[in-house]
Amino acid sequence: MNRILDELKAANAELMWQCDSCFGDLQVLQSDRYRYLQVDGHVQSVMDLRERHRACLPHAQWLNVALLSRPNTVLMAGLGGGDLIRQFRGAGLASHFSCCELCPDILHAYHEYFVPESGELGLEILQEDINDFIPQCQRQFDLIVLDVFSGSDQPDCLGEEAFFQNCFECLDERGVLALNVSINEPSSLLQLALILRRVFSKKLLMMPVEGCDNVVMLAFKGKPLAGSNDEFLLAIETLNKTLPSAIPVQIERLVNSNVCDEFGELELWRLP
């Protein structure tokens, strides 16, 4: 288990707020160092009270890879405690964020317990289902982030090719789609990978997250972030110098991806 989750489990946390939400038992808790949001006992968001811009959860650290695309406009599905907004801002990214969050109780928890004291400039919150918003959206974004767990479940739209085709249309010509998905069902993960490779012309990067049962996936409408494994790792090393929590990408994690060729090189780097 991740060190942060171990700390939260062992801590004598104070219950700050609780409600029976549409997603289940929603709680905001606080230990000496962390304030966190959980649904039915599953930790969704963690804010470090000493370093508020730090990415705490493993998948959140890996989603920072999307910063290599230098996005100015970001569409997010799922607000939670605003982890990605804080960590992207902390990296000096002055993006405009649009966020689809359907649950009013999560919106309440965010505004009451996680929003910065200075407010959140450049944030548009839409109380809407991402599955309804994407097909009718007339805008384009540099980055779309799908981090949409509710408890231990993921929405049905992650298995629908039409949904990802609509995401593709909502990206600008160099846009990136970033997903955090569970690997509890290997067959579902394989189906999702095949869908994304079809929609994005094989330009898919899969990164198994160390320490938890998650995979962070990046799909590219334009050129990928690098031209080789080595070039990609060098870009991550440079980015990590600006981040309070380093992205723990290692060559071994990439080579284990099922989008690698027989030589262990990512197929997407070899695309024309």
Side-chain angles (χ1 to χ4, degrees):
M1 181 176 287
N2 175 256
R3 183 181 61 82
I4 292 290
L5 296 180
D6 282 339
E7 288 184 34
L8 297 181
K9 185 177 180 180
N12 184 20
E14 172 192 359
L15 178 63
M16 303 186 71
W17 180 76
Q18 182 176 22
C19 80
D20 184 15
S21 77
C22 58
F23 291 142
D25 182 29
L26 188 67
Q27 297 180 331
V28 176
L29 300 104
Q30 182 168 312
S31 64
D32 289 342
R33 178 160 184 174
Y34 301 104
R35 182 175 299 170
Y36 56 103
L37 175 73
Q38 64 180 26
V39 180
D40 287 338
H42 297 275
V43 177
Q44 302 292 304
S45 296
V46 179
M47 180 172 68
D48 186 332
L49 298 174
R50 301 176 193 171
E51 297 181 86
R52 292 180 181 248
H53 294 123
R54 183 166 78 93
C56 296
L57 295 175
H59 74 271
Q61 295 171 3
W62 287 64
L63 280 169
N64 271 338
V65 172
L67 290 169
L68 291 175
S69 66
R70 303 303 303 169
N72 290 315
T73 54
V74 180
L75 172 64
M76 298 172 52
L79 176 62
D83 292 13
L84 292 179
I85 297 171
R86 286 192 303 276
Q87 66 194 55
F88 279 22
R89 298 274 194 217
L93 192 67
S95 296
H96 176 79
F97 288 87
S98 299
C99 182
C100 290
E101 176 54 67
L102 185 61
C103 179
D105 298 312
I106 288 180
L107 293 175
H108 172 81
Y110 172 74
H111 287 298
E112 289 296 319
Y113 300 100
F114 294 96
V115 72
E117 294 180 0
S118 59
E120 193 62 85
L121 300 177
L123 173 61
E124 172 191 22
I125 297 180
L126 307 164
Q127 192 172 348
E128 191 167 356
D129 190 325
I130 191 70
N131 202 24
D132 297 327
F133 177 79
I134 286 283
Q136 62 186 6
C137 181
Q138 300 299 310
R139 290 182 280 169
Q140 288 190 314
F141 302 89
D142 300 323
L143 173 64
I144 297 176
V145 181
L146 304 179
D147 184 15
V148 281
F149 283 99
S150 57
S152 59
D153 297 324
Q154 296 177 144
D156 293 338
C157 65
L158 293 189
E160 300 172 359
E161 187 161 341
F163 173 76
F164 289 108
Q165 188 62 54
N166 287 325
C167 288
F168 182 88
E169 299 299 329
C170 287
L171 289 168
D172 69 14
E173 61 183 11
R174 296 181 297 173
V176 177
L177 175 68
L179 304 91
N180 167 42
V181 297
S182 170
I183 57 174
N184 291 328
E185 296 291 340
S187 60
S188 298
L189 179 65
L190 177 59
Q191 178 187 3
L192 175 57
L194 293 174
I195 289 174
L196 290 171
R197 281 167 66 82
R198 285 195 296 269
V199 173
F200 287 85
S201 302
K202 297 185 179 179
K203 290 179 288 187
L204 173 66
L205 172 61
M206 297 176 63
M207 297 175 290
V209 178
E210 192 170 10
C212 63
D213 294 330
N214 293 66
V215 173
V216 167
M217 309 171 80
L218 299 180
F220 306 94
K221 187 170 183 177
K223 291 183 178 180
L225 300 173
S228 68
N229 280 339
D230 289 341
E231 185 179 325
F232 177 67
L233 293 174
L234 180 60
I236 293 294
E237 182 180 343
T238 301
L239 176 61
N240 277 341
K241 296 176 182 178
T242 71
L243 301 176
S245 295
I247 305 167
V249 173
Q250 299 174 339
I251 190 66
E252 293 82 5
R253 307 298 290 178
L254 300 179
V255 170
N256 288 333
S257 168
N258 67 5
V259 294
C260 284
D261 63 17
E262 59 185 308
F263 303 106
E265 186 75 5
L266 291 177
E267 289 183 6
L268 71 93
W269 304 148
R270 296 178 181 271
L271 294 174

